[in-house]
């Protein structure tokens, strides 16, 4: 009976992950939509500029919203080797329907090299839980790309401002995400830089 249960459990896992993989392949082949949740190529120059500027400050780089880890890899590419990068996600949502455990496993595997060799840490939890538990040095930069509701974006931005983070930036400043636009405009009515849907405010 034990062997039969294991066979059924394995078969269930194969079916579940096959559906997830098929969803990912279909999504990946859908053109520009495959970049959903990641910085677009034309937005990378501003991201690179911000990350390089953060090297002139003390403190880690913080990314709120890992999703697949694609943007994480760009940040890691641009940062200094000794800069710490912390990326935060509770893996509760992704646009291709991966189950939470499969989503988490995908990110941990895809970011394996960064975690082992590039001073990168994945915080497995929500932004709110990270904010309440973080007692380290004030980050030199934060990149916000998680909850796109007005309330969620505002909470992320408010925490960054309260902590005195000198480079506050994020993604999806566009008509498709009015909550993000409203939260950003309310906090940064001036000195806002936008490239594509990537936004940033750098303290003078």
């Amino acid at each position: 009976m034990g062997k039969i249960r294991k066979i059924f459990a394995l078969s269930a896992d194969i079916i579940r992950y096959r559906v997830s993989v098929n969803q990912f392949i279909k999504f990946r082949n859908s053109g520009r939509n495959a970049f959903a949740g990641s910085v677009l190529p034309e937005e990378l120059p501003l991201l690179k500029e911000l990350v390089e500027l953060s090297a002139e400050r003390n403190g880690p780089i913080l990314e709120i919203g890992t999703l697949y880890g694609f943007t994480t890899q760009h940040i890691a590419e641009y940062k200094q080797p000794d800069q710490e990068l912390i990326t935060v996600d509770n893996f509760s949502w992704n646009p291709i329907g991966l189950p939470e455990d499969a989503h988490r496993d995908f990110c941990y595997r895809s970011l394996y090299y960064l975690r082992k060799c590039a001073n990168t840490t994945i915080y497995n939890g929500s932004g709110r839980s990270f904010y309440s538990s973080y007692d380290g040095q004030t980050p030199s930069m934060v990149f916000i790309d998680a909850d796109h509701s007005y309330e969620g974006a505002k909470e992320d931005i408010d925490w960054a401002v309260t902590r005195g983070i000198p480079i506050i930036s994020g993604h999806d400043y566009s008509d498709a995400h009015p909550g993000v636009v409203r939260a950003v405009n309310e906090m940064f009515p001036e000195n806002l830089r936008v490239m594509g849907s990537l936004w940033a405010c750098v303290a003078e």
Side-chain angles (χ1 to χ4, degrees), residues 119-135:
N119 203 10
T120 299
T121 301
I122 299 175
Y123 178 90
N124 180 18
S126 67
R128 182 173 294 177
S129 66
F130 176 83
Y131 301 150
S132 64
S133 63
Y134 181 71
D135 60 359

Side-chain angles (χ1 to χ4, degrees), residues 58-62 64 84 86 88 123 126-141 159 163 165:
N58 295 320
I61 298 172
L62 177 62
I64 305 299
E84 182 182 11
I86 304 170
V88 177
Y123 178 90
S126 67
R128 182 173 294 177
S129 66
F130 176 83
Y131 301 150
S132 64
S133 63
Y134 181 71
D135 60 359
Q137 191 174 17
T138 296
S140 58
M141 172 181 167
W159 181 82
R163 283 301 301 255
I165 299 175

